[in-house]
């Protein structure tokens, strides 16, 4: 039986994480350390300069639930530090996020922040997301595919710095595709809500711009065409192609 | 003359950003949009669910300074959205950070968050850091090398998703090395400051663990041995080696 650490960025009461806990209990013992409130868009942020709390919510055979006042990254770091002192978990799972974490969203995602943090500490890690922001999103179709996704992912050997970014379409699912992150960005990112001379207030908005809508090997294409996207991620951000060129020519 | 956008994560009054502004004014017109307070460790976090302010601090020929209540990523996003409506900047510079942003720190760094955001919007971007956390760090040696660094970096053609992570040693500088990110992580990451049944409080701490201290091609090695590390980064986190293997075998 595995020991699985679960976190997310929508907060510990979200439907997505409850679904993930339900599925993962079939694979072993589960410890949840999830944010006490919403932490979407928190990327790999850490809480610097103020204390972070870790509170036990419930404890039952095979399932412990803690909340943390910090970011998703804080949650995973605290779990490793305080709750897994004898033995590290076998797997870190984050999500299921209510919303797409493919393409450029991987940079901003707190769900992926928690996933990357598992990888940093040498643990196989999976970020799970559904392309549906609704707090009451229907996870049943995705859930049906999760055993096959677990089988595929757990069959791959762990390598330092590697983790998994799984995004499922909101509706009916046709199959699974291994993908790369689509190139894209957010435009019209702010809505001005106040303007005085020298002072402005904005709230976050945004329209996604897909820079390669025709490419069929991307996470965006997969999800838009009814497939679950499985993208292998690396936390090593070095651009080795450029590095090789520089070392030879600069 | 270039138009250069400058941000950081230590806040707009830090010695590092003032040094960066001084150097960059030699290259063109400068717009500063920097956090109103410390935003270290904020990674690519965005402010979600509450408004963010943009305040004009001063305006003089060739230098506009704004502060923003949000994260470094918010700063750059807001600058593009509100201040560069006619023409985007030619270069985004972030820093100079008081502290090392090489190795695994690249994931957590707000300095690099601002740098990545420039790249997301298609602008050549450089993150600048010195391996010295002192708010009164001496930047004079690094400053002497910045024209050579600018010459090397600006000579490289821009490619989507690429940016630059420059880390300088604190003391005397022997030269420049092109590097990759060192494998490492933070251990002993928390200090418990309060403990009651079911409730604990922690503050962030940590000792860096270098997983490849002998490797001479890393950013850690360069800085520890008196060289400025120049690491090309990519915001595309896809692990293409694994992806190729999966597409052929899974």
């Amino acid at each position: 039986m595995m020991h699985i650490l679960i976190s997310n960025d929508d907060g510990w009461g979200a439907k997505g994480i409850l679904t993930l806990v339900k599925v993962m209990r079939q694979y072993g013992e589960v410890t949840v350390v999830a944010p006490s409130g919403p932490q979407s868009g928190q990327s790999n942020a850490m809480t610097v300069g103020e204390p972070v709390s870790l509170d036990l919510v419930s404890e039952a055979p095979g399932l412990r639930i803690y909340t943390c006042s910090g970011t998703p990254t804080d949650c995973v770091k605290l779990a490793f530090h305080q709750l897994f002192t004898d033995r590290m978990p076998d797997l870190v799972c984050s999500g299921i996020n209510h919303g797409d974490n493919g393409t450029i969203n991987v940079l901003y995602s707190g769900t992926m922040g928690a996933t990357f943090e598992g990888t940093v500490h040498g643990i196989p890690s999976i970020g799970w997301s559904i392309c549906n922001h609704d707090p009451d999103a229907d996870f049943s179709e995705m859930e049906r595919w999760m055993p096959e996704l677990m089988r595929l992912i757990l069959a791959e050997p762990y390598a330092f710095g590697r983790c998994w970014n799984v995004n499922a379409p909101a509706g009916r699912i046709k199959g699974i595709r291994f993908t790369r992150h689509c190139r894209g960005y957010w435009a019209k990112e702010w809505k001005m809500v106040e303007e005085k001379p020298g002072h402005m207030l904005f709230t976050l908005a945004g329209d996604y711009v897909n820079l390669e809508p025709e490419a069929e090997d991307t996470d965006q294409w997969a999800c838009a065409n009814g497939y679950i996207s499985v993208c292998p991620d690396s936390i090593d951000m070095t651009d080795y192609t450029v590095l090789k060129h520089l070392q030879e020519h600069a």
Side-chain angles (χ1 to χ4, degrees), chain A:
Chain A
M1 289 291 270
M2 293 197 291
H3 195 150
I4 302 164
L5 171 63
I6 292 182
S7 193
N8 77 342
D9 74 357
D10 291 317
W12 76 287
K15 189 174 175 185
I17 196 170
L18 300 178
T19 305
L20 187 57
V21 167
K22 187 176 71 171
V23 173
M24 290 303 149
R25 289 194 75 179
Q26 299 163 35
Y27 292 88
E29 201 177 323
V30 168
T31 298
V32 174
V33 182
S36 42
Q39 293 278 344
S40 288
Q42 290 312 293
S43 185
N44 311 291
M46 305 180 295
T47 300
V48 177
E50 56 182 279
V52 167
S53 64
L54 181 66
D55 292 280
L56 180 64
V57 173
S58 75
E59 201 163 14
L63 178 64
R64 298 185 288 176
I65 302 178
Y66 292 84
T67 60
C68 167
S69 61
T71 64
T73 298
D74 291 333
C75 289
V76 175
K77 283 182 183 291
L78 264 176
F80 290 161
H81 179 86
Q82 189 62 28
L83 308 177
F84 291 90
T85 47
D86 293 335
R87 176 191 162 195
M88 287 288 267
D90 304 291
L91 181 69
V92 173
C93 284
S94 178
I96 303 172
N97 189 61
H98 296 242
D100 177 7
N101 277 324
T103 176
I104 196 65
N105 302 326
V106 68
L107 282 191
Y108 309 118
S109 164
T111 304
M112 291 310 299
T115 309
F116 294 145
E117 195 57 32
T119 309
V120 166
H121 287 82
I123 314 297
S125 302
I126 313 171
W128 305 87
S129 306
I130 194 168
C131 300
N132 185 346
H133 279 96
D134 189 343
D136 193 36
D138 179 3
F139 292 95
S140 58
E141 176 82 352
M142 181 177 183
E143 223 182 305
R144 285 203 307 120
W145 285 84
M146 286 175 75
E148 175 63 6
L149 290 162
M150 285 289 279
R151 194 192 63 75
L152 281 170
I153 288 172
L154 296 180
E156 290 302 309
Y158 174 77
F160 182 84
R162 176 200 303 168
C163 59
W164 301 90
N165 187 345
V166 176
N167 287 277
R172 203 172 116 50
I173 294 169
K174 290 185 213 164
I176 296 168
R177 292 278 174 112
F178 296 114
T179 65
R180 63 178 174 88
H181 287 305
C182 188
R183 294 181 178 189
Y185 65 99
W186 291 90
K188 298 179 188 163
E189 291 185 288
W190 301 94
K191 191 181 154 208
M192 192 188 284
V193 291
E194 191 180 312
E195 185 175 20
K196 296 179 195 165
H199 170 80
M200 290 165 277
L201 273 186
F202 299 85
T203 53
L204 200 62
D207 294 336
Y208 178 69
V209 179
N210 185 338
L211 289 172
E212 40 183 358
E214 306 301 325
E216 297 191 3
D217 60 345
T218 70
D219 47 8
Q220 279 289 295
W221 188 92
C223 289
N225 287 276
Y227 295 94
I228 295 176
S229 159
V230 177
C231 179
D233 278 348
S234 169
I235 57 168
D236 182 357
M237 300 185 79
T238 307
D239 187 327
Y240 286 97
T241 310
V242 175
L243 180 58
K244 189 159 175 282
H245 168 81
L246 287 167
Q247 286 171 335
E248 285 165 4
H249 299 100

